[in-house]
Amino acid sequence: MSLSRFKNQLEKEFSELMNSLSIKFDYMEMCVDRDNIYGVLLRLRDEYGFDMLSDLTCVDFLKDRDVFEIIYNLYSMNTHMRIIVKTEVSEKKAEIASVVGIYKSANWYEREVYDMFGVVFSKHPNMRRILMYEGFEGFPLRKDFKATNRQPQVGPVEYIKPCGIDGGESLDRLKEKLVIKRD
Amino acid sequence: MGLETIFGDSFLTTKISEIAAWGRKNSLFPLPFGTACCGIEFMATMAANFDQSRFGAEVIRFSPRQSDLLIVAGTINHKMIPVLRRIYDQMLEPKYVIAMGACASTGGCYDNYAVVQGIDTVLPVDIYIPGCPPRPEAVLDAVVQLQKKIEKMSVLEKSEKNVTK
């Protein structure tokens, strides 16, 4: 099915849910509101066969407008088609629904976005830092984080036996210590 | 060794120091803590072309309880610091540390939030090797310099190491 015909079909189906749809090079780009993202991704996966979430990242726009733009890269393994879904989250209230129920691979991607930008994904089973050490203050990839920021060293931490991806006893103990800070 | 404390600072102690230093410097057991590209370069130093066993440091022990020379080769992040410190604390005296490469010495070309700007904020380092990665001849030169440093150490005094806090 050619790209422009697929685009017309998507425009008819998703007309009330999305903001805009455009063709860029050989993939499509869709802009959606923050509250509709779960429904749009569920329909794209079930009805149109985009069964793989290749990537979930975030862009910080500090100069023009105060938003974080969250980008979902979807890929269909049968038809080899890509679609990129973008949403915008305001910086004052950086919260969005988690898509772990739709794509399991979103688990670590969303932890990385939280760790680097501070966007909280609600209903995520394991919302804590993944790349930086526990006790790190700040979110490094934001545009207003100084590149030469220095933090004090951490001492030896106590060894906690790791648990599975959905949580466990050691995770509850960690959650008492870690508080999700937002400003 | 507690025998020479009876003699104090005398001719016999110097002789015992010399014999102990000769034994220690010619049989170093390195622990290669290789995290990145400098680890590969260390493997090249151990191989046949640039042979490190000419200088006695041939036996590689990957356990801190069995080694006395910690070679930190590669980039060290903030998350790795407790692990590295724990391994250093588990080694037995006398122990020596070589910081190999630019990343371990000063943080290298990574001046950011994740990389520790130099191992000597956490451990006392004896020899620094510059380079990215250093040539194998430079690593062998560092081992030779460490051997000269061990020669001058006496058995009586505890080795004073610089720790920048």
Side-chain angles (χ1 to χ4, degrees), chain B residues 18-39:
Chain B
E18 278 180 20
I19 296 175
W22 171 85
R24 280 174 187 162
K25 77 177 164 105
N26 282 331
S27 69
L28 290 167
F29 281 26
L31 202 188
F33 197 89
T35 39
C37 359
C38 276

Side-chain angles (χ1 to χ4, degrees), chain A residues 131-142:
Chain A
L131 292 172
M132 296 310 296
Y133 57 89
E134 301 152 17
F136 186 83
E137 287 170 12
F139 299 107
L141 285 184
R142 288 190 175 182

Side-chain angles (χ1 to χ4, degrees), chain B residues 6 11 41 43 45 71 76 95 99 109 111 128 137 160:
Chain B
I6 304 177
F11 158 75
E41 201 65 29
M43 293 178 208
T45 314
I71 301 185
I76 303 287
K95 50 191 175 186
C109 52
D111 184 16
Y128 300 84
E137 290 100 337
E160 313 238 330

Side-chain angles (χ1 to χ4, degrees), chain A residues 153, chain B residues 76 81 102-108 115-123:
Chain A
Q153 303 280 354
Chain B
I76 303 287
I81 287 289
C103 287
S105 308
T106 61
V115 173
V116 166
Q117 305 293 304
I119 285 299
D120 50 7
T121 50
V122 193
L123 313 170

Side-chain angles (χ1 to χ4, degrees), chain B:
Chain B
M1 299 196 277
L3 197 58
E4 67 281 350
T5 48
I6 304 177
F7 300 122
D9 206 8
S10 73
F11 158 75
L12 271 174
T13 320
T14 344
K15 279 299 159 199
I16 292 179
S17 285
E18 278 180 20
I19 296 175
W22 171 85
R24 280 174 187 162
K25 77 177 164 105
N26 282 331
S27 69
L28 290 167
F29 281 26
L31 202 188
F33 197 89
T35 39
C37 359
C38 276
I40 312 286
E41 201 65 29
F42 183 74
M43 293 178 208
T45 314
M46 288 297 301
N49 259 336
F50 310 93
D51 194 10
Q52 202 185 355
S53 61
R54 297 181 273 167
F55 304 98
E58 172 182 27
V59 179
I60 303 275
R61 293 294 189 201
F62 284 101
S63 161
R65 307 276 185 192
Q66 302 171 6
S67 56
D68 57 0
L69 168 64
L70 176 67
I71 301 185
V72 183
T75 320
I76 303 287
N77 284 331
H78 280 279
K79 226 174 173 178
M80 195 65 176
I81 287 289
V83 176
L84 179 61
R85 182 73 212 189
R86 192 172 276 192
I87 289 199
Y88 176 75
D89 288 337
Q90 283 178 352
M91 289 167 71
L92 304 169
E93 292 279 341
K95 50 191 175 186
Y96 317 100
V97 177
I98 289 184
M100 176 176 173
C103 287
S105 308
T106 61
C109 52
Y110 302 114
D111 184 16
N112 58 14
Y113 56 88
V115 173
V116 166
Q117 305 293 304
I119 285 299
D120 50 7
T121 50
V122 193
L123 313 170
V125 176
D126 290 307
I127 308 276
Y128 300 84
I129 315 179
C132 186
R135 286 273 319 171
E137 290 100 337
V139 179
L140 296 174
D141 181 45
V143 173
V144 167
Q145 277 190 7
L146 182 66
Q147 286 181 348
K148 287 188 190 146
K149 186 173 179 182
I150 295 176
E151 258 179 12
K152 300 189 198 125
M153 287 185 184
S154 154
V155 203
L156 268 186
E157 64 195 31
K158 281 200 191 266
S159 52
E160 313 238 330
K161 305 210 170 139
N162 279 337
V163 183
T164 63
K165 280 278 176 202

